Amino acid sequence: MKTEMDFEELMDEAYGLPNGPAKLGMLEEAARVADVNGMEEEAYEARSEIVETATFCGYPMKALIAFSWQLGKFDQQPEEYDEETLMWSYKWILGKMPDFPEISREKILELLEDFGRRFKSYGYSERSYWYYRFRIFMDFGELEEAGRSYDRFRTMDRDFMSDCEACEQDEIMRYFLLKGDDEKVLEVAQPILKGRMSCAEIPHLTLSEILMPLYRLGRTAEADKHQTKGYRLIKGQNDFVQSFAEQMDYLTRTNPAKGIDVLEETLVFAADHEDPYAKMLFYARAASLLRRWVEESPEYRLRLPASFPYEGDPGDLLKLADYFAEHAQTAAAKFDQRNGNHHVSSLIE
Amino acid sequence: MTASNEYRFQVNLSGMIQILSNHLYSSPKVFLRELMQNATDAITARTEAEPGYQGEVRVELTGTGEQLTMMVEDNGIGLTEADIHEFLAMIGQSSKRGQQALLDGETSFIGRFGIGLLSCFMVSHEIVMLTQSAKGGPSMEWRGKPDGTYTIRQLDTQLSPGTKVYLRCTPDAAHYFEPDYVKEALFYYGALLPYPVTLYHDGAQHVVNSETPIWLMDPALARSRRAEVLAFGERLLGEQFQDFIPLTTASGRTGGIAFVLPHAVNLNAKRSHRVYLKRMLISEKAENILPEWAFFVKCLIWTDELQPTASREHFYENEKLEEVRSELGDALRKGLADMAESQTERLQKLIRLHALSMKALAVQDQAFYAMIHRWLPFESTRGHRELGELIDEGETLYFTSSVDEYRQIHHVASAQSMLVINGGYIYDSELMATLPMTVHNVHTERLQPDQVSMSFTDVPPAERNQYYDALRLADSALQRFRCRAEVKGFKPSDLPVLFTLSQESSTLRALEKASEESTELFSSVLGSLSSSMSSAGYSTLYLNVSNPIIQRVLTSPDDQMTPIAIEMLYVNALMMGHYAMSKQELEVLNQGIIRFINWGLRANTDRKGDA
């Protein structure tokens, strides 16, 4: 039985895998081997990969832990490591911080300043700082402050450390979504929907985000097309738990049977997700969907993944809905407490 | 407001040609493909006008050295003078028609005459084309140079309808004009063409595509011609295959053969399927024509319904392609399903070779998983077994989620005769988690290392009471490591302690380790996260009462010795489990060793003193 592989073997194997928990497991094993054997550079390398993989497959906490370690090492010996890659990772980490309600508003703003200071010291454009400030204030539900940052970042030059245009556009779209301006949301989404802007995650995210605005505007035929295409793009990937939630939100209203398919296919990803915010949205939408589905098919027994920690009867959809709703409300309350407003709970009402 | 004036970009044609010929195409060798495509298009056009017309392509090599010349001739539709102006000059013009043809629209032609011809400038400084349109008119000669200039003149003699292109090779490109190379390349590009392609050289002639397989138009026929298909695959793809799955789409406009690769492949390996458009090779590395998961096959695909990109080496990612891709995927899946039904040995063989790919697919596709699950291999406390055999044991299938967890507990678990599957390998724990949803009457359960204790023997309360003092000492020694001690009896008895930790305590360990290394700001952020989980984050050190050493530690607690012994057993368990240790734990280990050496030496001297 082969239970011990050396660092190189593990890394090779990890590089050969698509992003996902399997790859992450390999990388963590590699980092552990490096740690146990006192191989510092290798440990740093493995953690770089962990940060990237974990960020994009639903493990932001693992990403944060690995990044914290890296940043400490980097500050001790900045000449040993490449600052560009690390600073690029910093953006991912910063972007995920508000998703953890345990991290205070004050700490997040301190991180933002630390980030801004580091970017400035390397001579990068200030656009990244203002753009992330924009995002963070949106997460806090402080739209006026977000708006001010939006005005600032738009006028600044992009550089090689800026997020790609497609990602920025998607965040701008989110801003108008939060402001409740559905018409504007669709206007901003146009370059993405027309395929003029795209990247590894866009239009994947966008196609789910515009479903509710389209629904509210009564344009369901269009929405249905985007739903089908959007779901195909994100199916089976645990990075898109929030998008699954958005899909369910829409399908609850238009096609709950299809919504149930989405729920059954994606619950396994949500249950194992480390991002409390995405998980909260998913659970909230799952609750509404189940309540809607009871009306259509009261006898239905929901298929739950083996690892799902629910002890009750999966055939009692209302109880199950309560279970989901309670989880979501508890999480929302934590966010509200941190943010000092009712922004997050208003999103799941 | 003044009337708007129309201006035209001043295009530097030689620059354009440079760019097109050097950057659009992946290699100079594609010139031959382009010429064959032009010929195919010309023949297609003529066949459309004259049904039943028999086309052919002749390639002739003459001369040596600087005079080495290649002639490619087709008996297709040919070009009139107007056609020449329209097609060949397209790059220089900004005619609406030109743009349209260049950028989009499904046409019945693969190449777009003018552009394809430009690739010839990668191997020749001059292109001479003689052509006679089947529609009549005079025969024409066109001579083009890489600087973008060209001449056109009427010939005095009348040629038979068709087109001949003459290329004189540049010194750099001589190897593309070698007869053996040309013969191979013609086969490579034109093996599936429905009319003869003949090479003339040194007075000899050779039809390069003499045997067109009959299963081409109906891949289902391939099943009954196994040997022939495998041989054809080997000749064209250069690998010895042992198995294949025929592919067709509903429309019948795309078909192919998926050859099962005879060796395991990396999941991220570049897919390189070979695709023929209208039976003419268009791409040898089409990546987007099959679904992502189809990495265990190399395919020959022929299609007449997809739109090639400008370089004609890939296809436009559009809805049509998506549809074709998913239909080809379904055909492949169906091939596997058929095997599962009636040729299990064949499927078993395939899975043994491509287990990882099959698992990756099974994770994504429940129906597929249900179909093939019995043959997927797993590592378990009963050895390396196929899942079907494990299921037949009729027990709960416990699985760990990492190799580490499995290593921690597999000795203990097998001593308790629990059936545990190592879920630490790629996809395995996901497959185990979803198995009950896929297959009926199978129960799987994620085994946390701390759950192994379920099968431990409890120590009766009276006996436990006896260990009270020792346990209190142990707990207080371990508290700073967020660990608690527990007394249980378990097999194997030579194992003194078992250290287990839940996922949460594992995350906590990682948090603390990172925190030790990080900046102040990040340490405090990690601190906020860990404070929310600390209640559940305790790990457990099980002390095995069946072990003689533990018995001694437990029965004669010593305020001084017991805590140190427990600490040492703790760090030893960490080492045995290959955990990365924190600074604090390393210190315990170092100090403990020195202390024990010291005690050993002192005991030794004391004894000597007694003597």
Side-chain angles (χ1 to χ4, degrees), chain B residues 389-409:
Chain B
E389 298 173 310
L390 294 171
I391 289 174
D392 291 343
E393 305 265 355
E395 298 170 34
T396 295
L397 302 177
Y398 292 99
F399 64 97
T400 65
S401 71
S402 72
V403 176
D404 236 3
E405 287 178 2
Y406 184 76
R407 185 174 41 221
Q408 279 182 57
I409 59 176

Side-chain angles (χ1 to χ4, degrees), chain B residues 61 86 93 123 268 296 365 379 387 404 461 580:
Chain B
L61 292 166
E86 186 174 354
Q93 295 172 354
V123 296
N268 275 358
F296 59 99
D365 183 337
E379 179 186 329
L387 185 54
D404 236 3

Side-chain angles (χ1 to χ4, degrees), chain A residues 273-318:
Chain A
H273 213 62
E274 253 185 7
D275 180 338
Y277 185 77
K279 193 167 172 167
M280 172 200 71
L281 281 182
F282 186 97
Y283 278 39
R285 303 308 178 217
S288 316
L289 173 63
L290 287 172
R291 285 177 184 146
R292 173 77 184 79
W293 186 236
V294 170
E295 299 164 17
E296 303 254 334
S297 179
E299 301 297 300
Y300 193 82
R301 286 172 59 86
L302 194 75
R303 292 197 317 190
L304 297 170
S307 54
F308 195 71
Y310 178 70
E311 303 292 336
D313 171 14
D316 188 343
L317 294 186
L318 286 178

Side-chain angles (χ1 to χ4, degrees), chain A residues 1-4 13 15-18 22 29 32 35-36 61 64-65 67-69 71-73 75-76 90 93 97 100 102-103 107 110-111 114 118 232 303-306, chain B residues 266-268 322 366 379 403-404 406-407 410 425-427 430 432-433 436-437 444 507 510-511 513-514 517-519 521-522 524-526 528-529 532-533 577-580:
Chain A
M1 187 184 69
K2 193 173 176 189
T3 47
E4 186 79 348
E13 187 135 348
Y15 283 128
L17 289 172
E29 178 77 0
R32 189 189 59 78
D35 285 346
V36 168
M61 176 118 75
L64 168 64
I65 292 171
F67 179 78
S68 303
W69 186 97
L71 191 68
K73 288 286 170 206
D75 278 2
Q76 286 160 26
Y90 204 158
I93 299 299
M97 283 303 101
F100 293 103
E102 294 84 5
I103 303 176
K107 274 283 171 265
E110 263 183 66
L111 284 169
D114 181 61
R118 287 175 190 266
R232 192 167 49 216
R303 292 197 317 190
L304 297 170
Chain B
N266 189 313
L267 291 193
N268 275 358
E322 227 166 71
Q366 243 175 45
E379 179 186 329
V403 176
D404 236 3
Y406 184 76
R407 185 174 41 221
H410 91 275
Y425 295 117
I426 302 148
Y427 304 122
E430 285 154 280
M432 279 298 130
M437 289 192 276
T444 69
T507 308
L511 260 172
K513 180 147 176 65
E517 302 289 346
S518 197
T519 64
L521 178 56
F522 271 88
S524 78
V525 169
L526 293 176
S528 341
L529 288 175
S532 71
M533 6 192 310
H578 299 263
Y579 291 97

Side-chain angles (χ1 to χ4, degrees), chain B residues 239-275:
Chain B
E239 272 190 271
Q240 227 175 354
F241 303 103
Q242 286 166 11
D243 206 349
F244 62 86
I245 296 169
L247 309 173
T248 33
T249 60
S251 68
R253 292 179 65 187
T254 302
I257 305 284
F259 292 96
V260 176
L261 286 166
H263 47 81
V265 269
N266 189 313
L267 291 193
N268 275 358
K270 281 263 175 254
R271 335 272 182 257
S272 53
H273 307 300
R274 195 163 299 173
V275 181

Side-chain angles (χ1 to χ4, degrees), chain B residues 96-113:
Chain B
K96 280 258 151 48
R97 168 112 193 231
Q99 290 173 359
Q100 210 55 36
L102 187 62
L103 295 177
D104 57 34
E106 188 177 349
T107 70
S108 58
F109 304 116
I110 312 164
R112 281 166 195 116
F113 300 106

Side-chain angles (χ1 to χ4, degrees), chain B residues 3 88 91 100-101 128 179 189 206 217 224 249 267 320 334 337 345 360 381 384 405 451 455 474 480 499 522 527 556:
Chain B
L88 293 176
I91 302 273
Q100 210 55 36
V128 178
Y189 294 129
H206 178 85
M217 287 302 111
S224 56
T249 60
L267 291 193
K320 187 82 222 167
K334 178 152 189 323
E345 257 178 56
T381 43
H384 279 274
E405 287 178 2
Q451 286 172 309
S455 54
R480 61 184 169 132
F499 173 75
F522 271 88
S556 51

